[in-house]
Amino acid sequence: AEKKLLQGKKVLVTAGGTVERIDPVRYLTNDSSGKMGYAIAAQAKRMGADVVLVSGKTTERVPDGVEFVTVESALDMYEAVLSRFEQTDIVIKAAAVADYRPAEQAPQKLKKNNDELTITFVKNPDILQTLGQKKHGQFLVGFAAETERVEEYAMGKLRKKNCDLVVANDVSADGAGFGTDTNIVRIYDAQGLALQLPIMSKTDVATRILTLVASRLGSNKGA
Ligand code: C5P
């Protein structure tokens, strides 16, 4: 029988891409498939945790036995996560959250009346950074999808967002990143590289991340 390393732990996972609407029929999103986050939610459940999965756009099947919350925009995700943060032990932020949203959402479909269209974007709140400021004992895991200088950017995010671990992948490498069933990750903590994994299925990556989290619970610093 599998060891239940996360028995009794409340785990919140975010996954998928956010959708930022321009008008009632058009929106901006990104290439996130949700596969990594869904694999984490499914594995956390198998490891005994109570799991909430806050999901943006994806085509993945909802894992059995998890509480499922669908959201559309980054602001929706912000509210869904913040309202549950108090009762959570571990937050794993695998979602690809839009950095910006259109300043205004047109109430009616935009018409092609002009040769050019300008849309002004405003910055979305950083959900993970907000959690990092509010945390009191919660264990925070962030993701960093990069195309260059992976370690430097991952460590920068870890410090800025006050996370306990950052899971970094080079999304330009074959077999890593968006849409694939495999991933190649390095996991960083405040001291630097904590775990380097070879190419493996996202399910196996999820198990390794969660096993590392379980081994570190209780030793993380509150804010
Ligand atoms: O977008 P960025 O590379 O900074 O994302 C790093 C981490 O921060 C990811 O875990 C992502 O889910 C999280 N994030 C967030 N809210 C945002 C942007 C990113 O929680 N607005």
Side-chain angles (χ1 to χ4, degrees):
E2 227 174 327
K3 265 196 291 175
K4 301 276 187 186
L5 282 177
L6 293 174
Q7 198 69 52
K9 297 296 175 193
K10 295 189 176 4
V11 177
L12 187 154
V13 182
T14 70
T18 61
V19 163
E20 308 297 331
R21 286 208 171 270
I22 297 164
D23 72 15
V25 296
R26 301 185 179 101
Y27 56 79
L28 267 117
T29 187
N30 56 64
D31 281 334
S32 172
S33 63
K35 284 179 198 278
M36 191 64 246
Y38 276 57
I40 291 168
Q43 289 307 97
K45 179 69 195 172
R46 288 193 197 103
M47 290 165 77
D50 293 329
V51 180
V52 179
L53 174 58
V54 177
S55 178
K57 206 165 64 68
T58 176
T59 54
E60 292 295 291
R61 202 182 64 84
V62 181
D64 289 334
V66 312
E67 184 187 334
F68 187 62
V69 181
T70 49
V71 295
E72 188 168 271
S73 66
L75 285 178
D76 296 341
M77 185 172 280
Y78 181 91
E79 278 171 32
V81 172
L82 267 290
S83 68
R84 291 169 175 85
F85 187 49
E86 243 348 87
Q87 311 90 265
T88 304
D89 300 310
I90 301 162
V91 178
I92 304 185
K93 284 241 53 187
V97 184
D99 294 326
Y100 296 89
R101 66 177 181 278
E104 285 166 37
Q105 246 186 56
Q108 306 299 334
K109 189 181 167 194
L110 295 176
K111 305 307 285 180
K112 49 180 173 230
N113 293 333
N114 301 305
D115 290 338
E116 287 181 8
L117 170 67
T118 303
I119 300 172
T120 301
F121 288 87
V122 294
K123 213 169 200 177
N124 276 325
D126 193 299
I127 304 166
L128 186 54
Q129 196 170 332
T130 307
L131 301 181
Q133 285 159 5
K134 284 179 184 284
K135 77 172 177 182
H136 46 88
Q138 289 99 333
F139 196 96
L140 296 186
V141 182
F143 273 71
E146 307 294 351
T147 57
E148 58 171 357
R149 292 154 74 183
V150 175
E151 166 149 16
E152 179 189 333
Y153 289 142
M155 290 302 290
K157 279 172 196 179
L158 185 127
R159 293 195 187 102
K160 183 169 168 214
K161 305 190 187 198
N162 195 26
C163 331
D164 298 284
L165 297 174
V166 165
V167 180
N169 57 351
D170 182 343
V171 291
S172 64
D174 282 346
F178 294 139
T180 59
D181 290 319
T182 55
N183 212 352
I184 308 168
V185 307
R186 277 175 281 174
I187 307 179
Y188 296 90
D189 64 16
Q191 274 70 52
L193 185 64
L195 184 63
Q196 175 157 16
L197 298 175
I199 186 167
M200 56 177 73
S201 71
K202 286 184 173 173
T203 299
D204 288 344
V205 173
T207 305
R208 300 293 294 268
I209 294 168
L210 291 165
T211 304
L212 183 62
V213 171
S215 77
R216 300 218 168 174
L217 282 184
S219 59
N220 63 314
K221 296 191 296 290

